[in-house]
Amino acid sequence: MANALFDCTGKVTLVTGGNGGIGLGFALGVARMGGDIAIWARNADKNAAAKAQLLAAGAGRVEAYRVDVASEDEIIAGYARLLDDFGRVDCVFANSGRASKSRSVLTLDSTEWHDLMAVNLHGAFFTLREGAKAMVARAEDGEPGGSLVYCGSLSMFHGMPGINNYAASKGGMGAAVRGMAAELGKYEIRCNTIAPGYVKTGIGGGADMTPEMQARLAQVDAHFSAKTPIHRPGTIEDFEGIGAYLASDASRFHTGDTIVIDGGSAIYPPYAF
């Protein structure tokens, strides 16, 4: 492993929402490169399953913590536990988030607006801010470097009817990450956003789906696949490589970017045929 370009041996990576979906994909990429991993998520059973999977994939050490990233106090306390257990943090993936319950700007009320922002915008910002503090402290002690990563979406670029709070959270954090990149570069800390396209995460699937639900999901898959130059949905495995790259020293000069992982759908116009 020590000769691998994306070697993560000896590095500690925090992944919020790392017990499933894209977050687990990021974590698996780091695990396969020998890194140590901390997961923040609220479901204890899923945390335990993810820990076992990551250790089997090659992680040096895995710890799972129940942290609600909608709470600034829990984020701060979570870092205190993480640093006490691992002694350092080298990479942070602020991945936790939720979908919008809104379907129209005309009916998007203040409760839904603020509840989503608490996780997708504020929680992500405080997660990266506290990670930056730990990395800056280490840099001031003579060991610069670190990687801060936000999981955005194509709604950062597209007009998405109805889900204004979701799109605003993703676009707002994209701007915040670029600001962090400009400020923290002097510590050799790089800051980037990943913008996924349509990805099948396994959420909402399984044998318990009715035939009608399965048929509907197949229609959704076919629709997005037809609009994607690589004609299939994304999978969590498609995020392992970018996860390992951004956690490793291979990305040490890559900062301030929004990296689109979408099979080419963002560049494919709706009138193409």
Side-chain angles (χ1 to χ4, degrees):
M1 192 67 66
N3 294 322
L5 180 61
F6 294 176
D7 180 30
C8 295
T9 306
K11 295 186 181 297
V12 177
T13 295
L14 165 64
V15 186
T16 69
N19 64 5
I22 293 173
L24 181 58
F26 294 143
L28 281 167
V30 177
R32 297 191 198 287
M33 294 294 103
D36 297 336
I37 299 167
I39 290 172
W40 284 1
R42 292 182 293 175
N43 186 306
D45 291 339
K46 288 183 64 178
N47 284 355
K51 179 176 180 177
Q53 187 175 357
L54 292 167
L55 288 170
R61 178 184 178 185
V62 180
E63 299 294 341
Y65 307 87
R66 298 184 71 178
V67 175
D68 182 358
V69 298
S71 166
E72 182 181 5
D73 289 341
E74 286 203 30
I75 289 170
I76 293 170
Y79 269 104
R81 293 195 298 273
L82 186 157
L83 293 172
D84 186 56
D85 286 345
F86 287 93
R88 62 186 293 124
V89 62
D90 298 278
C91 180
V92 178
F93 288 91
N95 169 76
S96 289
R98 74 163 176 87
S100 178
K101 298 175 184 177
S102 169
R103 291 298 176 266
S104 170
V105 66
L106 302 177
T107 55
L108 175 51
D109 61 30
S110 61
T111 298
E112 166 60 14
W113 177 274
H114 289 294
D115 283 353
L116 182 142
M117 290 293 179
V119 177
N120 291 20
L121 180 65
H122 304 150
F125 175 77
F126 294 135
T127 296
L128 295 182
R129 183 196 68 185
E130 293 303 304
K133 289 179 182 179
M135 293 173 187
V136 168
R138 192 178 72 242
E140 290 176 339
D141 285 339
E143 189 183 351
S147 180
L148 301 173
V149 186
Y150 175 64
C151 188
S153 91
L154 296 186
S155 67
M156 299 170 70
F157 317 113
H158 294 167
M160 304 290 286
I163 59 169
N164 304 76
N165 53 345
Y166 182 85
S169 71
K170 297 298 184 180
M173 271 307 299
V177 168
R178 289 189 290 275
M180 291 178 182
E183 180 177 349
L184 300 175
K186 62 187 176 183
Y187 302 105
E188 298 185 24
I189 299 169
R190 65 260 190 209
C191 310
N192 294 286
T193 296
I194 296 172
Y198 175 62
V199 180
K200 288 179 69 69
T201 62
I203 298 173
D208 57 340
M209 292 181 66
T210 66
E212 291 78 12
M213 293 170 64
Q214 292 175 353
R216 173 59 179 160
L217 185 59
Q219 290 177 342
V220 172
D221 289 349
H223 170 79
F224 281 101
S225 295
K227 301 294 185 182
T228 304
I230 297 177
H231 292 309
R232 65 170 177 82
T235 68
I236 66 170
E237 290 81 8
D238 293 320
F239 293 85
E240 293 181 12
I242 194 66
Y245 168 70
L246 290 175
S248 75
D249 290 339
S251 62
R252 62 188 177 273
F253 202 57
H254 191 166
T255 195
D257 198 5
T258 298
I259 304 166
V260 178
I261 309 291
D262 71 341
S265 61
I267 55 88
Y268 196 67
Y271 47 80
F273 58 89

